[in-house]
Amino acid sequence: TAIIQMNKKEVIEEQYIKLVSSDDCVFYVSKAAAYVSKTIQTMMESKGFMIEKEKNEIRFPEIRGEILEILLNEGKKDIEKFEIPPALTLEVLVAGIYLSLIHI
């Protein structure tokens, strides 16, 4: 999976990006895996996101940890193959569209 545990030094060295959900769940994701999301790539490479770039961290105040974890784990599959509990489907869809992981 894309989710792994990393120490702070590796995050600082920019090999990994720290993603933080609205409920403060933390995910350390390799830059290559995170850049599957064009939204994350833009945030890390755009001049308008200096704090994120400096900290190598992106906070998602509108995405809960459970949803972010589903998207990180399922993100490389076609949406038709996602295994999502029915109660979370809409929330995953909205977050996936925001992160440019799901195209409809």
Side-chain angles (χ1 to χ4, degrees), residues 25-38:
C25 291
V26 176
F27 303 92
Y28 294 99
V29 182
S30 72
K31 205 173 239 186
Y35 278 20
V36 169
S37 164
K38 294 299 177 193

Side-chain angles (χ1 to χ4, degrees), residues 7 85 94:
N7 65 43
V94 170

Side-chain angles (χ1 to χ4, degrees), residues 7-54:
N7 65 43
K8 192 170 186 170
K9 181 181 177 202
E10 289 172 306
V11 172
I12 292 169
E13 290 174 355
E14 299 180 13
Q15 297 169 1
Y16 294 86
I17 298 172
K18 180 180 178 181
L19 305 178
V20 184
S21 68
S22 63
D23 50 352
D24 291 322
C25 291
V26 176
F27 303 92
Y28 294 99
V29 182
S30 72
K31 205 173 239 186
Y35 278 20
V36 169
S37 164
K38 294 299 177 193
T39 302
I40 292 174
Q41 182 178 2
T42 299
M43 289 175 139
M44 293 303 293
E45 294 179 351
S46 175
K47 292 180 182 178
F49 292 91
M50 295 303 289
I51 294 172
E52 288 83 354
K53 203 174 199 178
E54 184 179 301

